[in-house]
Amino acid sequence: MKLTDVFFVLTASFAAFTANANTFVINDKTYDYDVIEQKEIGPGVVYNRIRIPEYPLNINYTTVDMNNPYNRIETFQANDKLGGTETLASVYERKKSSGMKPLAGQNANFWVVPTQGIYSDFNMGGTYNGNLSNGKIISETNSRADQWNGGPTRTGIVGIDKDKKVWLESMAWEGVVSSSKWGAETNEFAKTNNFCRSTG
């Protein structure tokens, strides 16, 4: 059996399931929802479509059994590089041609599009928050170096750690370079693959 790879980008969520069946909590208010469709699309992978009539809101989401060795959730960057965008249909074909069996996909939230002025000149298709893939930094927002409209305190970051635990919260990080030749001195790196504004 070939490994089934699921590409799926999670975005910051404003809602959460409660312990009661068929209810949703949005901004501390409980809503009833109707299950419109629910079907298994892969080993331990279930597609769900629900509707919250009172809101009104339709939600499409996929649950993935991460204990199944044939499943994997991963992030992807348009065409595997910064500087452009790509449709999900194109990503599907690209991942499929590489031997994967993609089952679900989703656009990330808060990413740079052509109408956003100077950002689109330097960071088209990149996220405004941290963006990592398979443990490698694609781009990052340093909480001290760039406070774009609130910076990382405004936009949550979703991640899956090595223990397959999902994290959804406001995060920021810093990285430093050190050398025995420098003694105790370290140099910080920030704005990886991002446009750097002048501070002068």
Side-chain angles (χ1 to χ4, degrees):
M1 179 178 277
K2 295 179 69 176
L3 178 66
T4 299
D5 287 315
V6 179
F7 65 93
F8 194 75
V9 176
L10 298 172
T11 59
S13 174
F14 57 86
F17 282 111
T18 65
N20 298 322
N22 290 5
T23 61
F24 226 92
V25 177
I26 302 175
N27 293 332
D28 298 323
K29 181 178 177 181
T30 300
Y31 296 86
D32 293 329
Y33 69 85
D34 301 320
V35 177
I36 299 172
E37 186 174 6
Q38 189 174 66
K39 62 182 177 181
E40 188 171 24
I41 59 174
V45 182
V46 178
Y47 164 75
N48 304 272
R49 180 174 175 81
I50 66 173
R51 177 166 176 76
I52 305 175
E54 185 183 352
Y55 205 70
L57 181 67
N58 289 345
I59 300 172
N60 298 280
Y61 67 96
T62 306
T63 57
V64 180
D65 178 5
M66 294 303 293
N67 292 316
N68 188 311
Y70 297 104
N71 294 334
R72 188 172 77 197
I73 297 175
E74 66 178 41
T75 59
F76 58 89
Q77 180 65 40
N79 298 304
D80 290 330
K81 63 181 180 181
L82 282 173
T85 58
E86 184 180 22
T87 65
L88 286 176
S90 173
V91 176
Y92 171 82
E93 293 297 336
R94 182 163 57 82
K95 295 290 185 179
K96 186 178 177 182
S97 67
S98 70
M100 296 181 180
K101 291 184 178 179
L103 297 176
Q106 180 178 321
N107 284 324
N109 206 350
F110 300 109
W111 51 281
V112 181
V113 296
T115 58
Q116 292 173 309
I118 192 169
Y119 290 107
S120 61
D121 293 336
F122 294 92
N123 201 26
M124 172 70 85
T127 59
Y128 279 110
N129 53 16
N131 186 0
L132 287 83
S133 181
N134 298 322
K136 295 181 181 178
I137 298 175
I138 297 173
S139 61
E140 50 79 28
T141 295
N142 183 292
S143 61
R144 291 170 296 110
D146 185 6
Q147 285 293 335
W148 59 270
N149 195 16
T153 62
R154 178 177 184 269
T155 306
I157 294 177
V158 174
I160 302 174
D161 65 20
K162 61 183 178 60
D163 297 317
K164 299 181 180 178
K165 180 178 179 180
V166 176
W167 297 85
L168 170 60
E169 54 190 88
S170 296
M171 301 182 202
W173 63 82
E174 64 176 308
V176 295
V177 179
S178 61
S179 171
S180 58
K181 297 179 181 179
W182 300 342
E185 179 184 354
T186 61
N187 288 289
E188 179 184 10
F189 68 87
K191 306 295 292 173
T192 304
N193 291 332
N194 276 328
F195 170 65
C196 295
R197 299 194 198 99
S198 171
T199 57

